[in-house]
Amino acid sequence: MTGALPASQGLLLRGCRWILLDLGRTLYVTAPCCSRLLSSTFQASRSSSRTSLLTDTCAVRGAALWRRLRSVSTFLWGYGAALRRRLQSVSTFLWGYGAQPHRLPHGLHNQGATCYLNSVLQVLVMTTEIHDRLDHDSQTDQQLKQIFEELKRKTCTTETITAAFGITNVHEQRDAPECLEMILNKISRRASEVFQGELTHTTECSKGHSINEETNPFWTLPLSLQDTHDTTYSVERSFERIFQQKSFSGDNMVYCNECEEKTEATSGCEMVKYPQILTLLFKRFDFDYRTMSYFKSHRCVDVPRTLQRKDKEYKLYGMVHHNGSLTGGHYTATILCSEDKTWYEFNDAHVSKVKRQPFAETSPYKSQTAYLLMYRGAE
């Protein structure tokens, strides 16, 4: 994304370009005046009765001064023109090299209550891994591709997207993670598989017999915000808990077909297929069995810049936030732009640079509103 050369840089170049030229021109014009002034003074001195050797000496020195001023002014006149040409070539080089400022990304107009859709679409725009995978023969794929291209030039509306994906009531508040999964279900498999991973769950008895083993695909990994005794919620620790082994004993023993009885057992989970884009979902909307009612958790979480699982490293590039309560709220997105490595806040049609850039320091990013985290697998 390019733009015009900043006004401050243009003024600086123009000022430097003409400063010596104007100095040379001024000296060139004023030197004859100085000479005429000295000459008239010396002539008056010569015609007076007090003419002496001193007046002759001054006249000689005045003429020498005039010649020296003229030579200096001529030099500066030529040097100023040369400097102007030099600065012009430098400014032309900078213009061609791309020294223009980076323009803000464009936003999406809200049709009523489609902030959930706008936030998800902005994340998909920055997920360049799917752009070349969109199918030319798929209507939904082509609608996505079209809005991706339009967002490079202007702020867009989403009527064609809502029509293509069957969103009929644009004034109904919906869930952003559900919207993401709906889109991934309706676009081509080749495009959606960028987000797809696989988990294998196994259960073995104490004698090593396999009780159960199943492999399931996933697009998002849910992280519970409850049942943790940590004073600070760590995404890294919660992510690792997914893969921790669980033991079954006592009243929780599991029946083993080969042992033909209930036995102690262990169960575990392993990621057998790593997605290119790893999406973590905080279970902010949950059910409380004590009160038998739904609630929203505003628990603050420590979001890491990177996640590591065995030899696979992921780096955060997008976050979808929910601001509000269980009954209503507003979605925004915070996304890292790959072009200028800057985090931007996407709030429907309004886009702004995040004032306090996440991860500018070594400490984790803390948030009470983060709902979805999008991590990109390192090459």
Side-chain angles (χ1 to χ4, degrees), residues 352-363:
S352 60
K353 182 179 176 180
V354 178
K355 292 181 179 178
R356 187 174 181 180
Q357 289 284 295
F359 313 106
E361 301 175 355
T362 56
S363 58

Side-chain angles (χ1 to χ4, degrees), residues 310-327:
K310 293 187 175 180
D311 295 331
K312 186 69 173 180
E313 184 183 59
Y314 288 93
K315 290 188 177 181
L316 185 74
Y317 75 97
M319 295 178 278
V320 174
H321 302 266
H322 183 269
N323 300 272
S325 63
L326 179 66
T327 56

Side-chain angles (χ1 to χ4, degrees), residues 149-376:
E149 292 298 322
E150 289 180 355
L151 279 171
K152 296 178 182 178
R153 304 186 301 272
K154 61 180 181 179
T155 301
C156 301
T157 59
T158 57
E159 283 81 2
T160 57
I161 291 293
T162 52
F165 288 95
I167 302 173
T168 56
N169 186 357
V170 295
H171 297 283
E172 178 186 8
Q173 294 190 5
R174 299 178 65 173
D175 188 52
E178 290 180 359
C179 176
L180 174 62
E181 293 203 5
M182 179 269 293
I183 291 175
L184 295 179
N185 267 311
K186 292 192 174 185
I187 62 177
S188 61
R189 181 178 178 83
R190 185 169 179 269
S192 64
E193 68 180 1
V194 169
F195 290 84
Q196 191 175 88
E198 290 183 356
L199 293 177
T200 296
H201 297 267
T202 59
T203 304
E204 292 183 352
C205 76
S206 57
K207 295 181 180 180
H209 300 145
S210 177
I211 297 175
N212 182 58
E213 180 176 330
E214 59 181 18
T215 300
N216 297 308
F218 70 89
W219 279 320
T220 62
L221 290 181
L223 302 180
S224 175
L225 296 177
Q226 300 185 80
D227 302 327
T228 59
H229 303 289
D230 303 327
T231 55
T232 302
Y233 185 91
S234 169
V235 173
E236 289 178 290
R237 288 195 294 269
S238 186
F239 177 66
E240 287 301 322
R241 287 191 190 99
I242 298 175
F243 309 103
Q244 286 180 354
Q245 280 195 341
K246 299 178 178 66
S247 298
F248 301 92
S249 59
D251 294 337
N252 295 321
M253 288 195 299
V254 181
Y255 186 82
C256 175
N257 289 328
E258 294 192 40
C259 297
E260 296 183 342
E261 63 178 348
K262 282 191 173 183
T263 178
E264 293 183 348
T266 57
S267 67
C269 175
E270 191 54 64
M271 192 180 297
V272 293
K273 178 186 176 185
Y274 292 86
Q276 287 182 259
I277 303 299
L278 176 65
T279 305
L280 303 182
L281 163 65
F282 294 119
K283 297 176 70 175
R284 291 203 177 273
F285 300 95
D286 214 338
F287 188 79
D288 188 343
Y289 287 94
R290 293 172 300 178
T291 61
M292 299 302 291
S293 61
Y294 286 95
F295 69 96
K296 183 193 174 183
S297 172
H298 297 275
R299 187 171 187 181
C300 184
V301 298
D302 282 353
V303 179
R305 179 70 175 91
T306 61
L307 276 178
Q308 187 81 31
R309 179 60 189 165
K310 293 187 175 180
D311 295 331
K312 186 69 173 180
E313 184 183 59
Y314 288 93
K315 290 188 177 181
L316 185 74
Y317 75 97
M319 295 178 278
V320 174
H321 302 266
H322 183 269
N323 300 272
S325 63
L326 179 66
T327 56
H330 182 63
Y331 285 99
T332 61
T334 304
I335 311 174
L336 178 67
C337 179
S338 59
E339 292 188 17
D340 63 352
K341 308 302 180 185
T342 301
W343 290 88
Y344 290 93
E345 186 76 19
F346 294 82
N347 185 358
D348 290 331
H350 179 70
V351 181
S352 60
K353 182 179 176 180
V354 178
K355 292 181 179 178
R356 187 174 181 180
Q357 289 284 295
F359 313 106
E361 301 175 355
T362 56
S363 58
Y365 173 78
K366 296 181 181 295
S367 175
Q368 289 183 296
T369 59
Y371 192 18
L372 281 174
L373 303 181
M374 321 292 286
Y375 284 87
R376 173 178 282 116

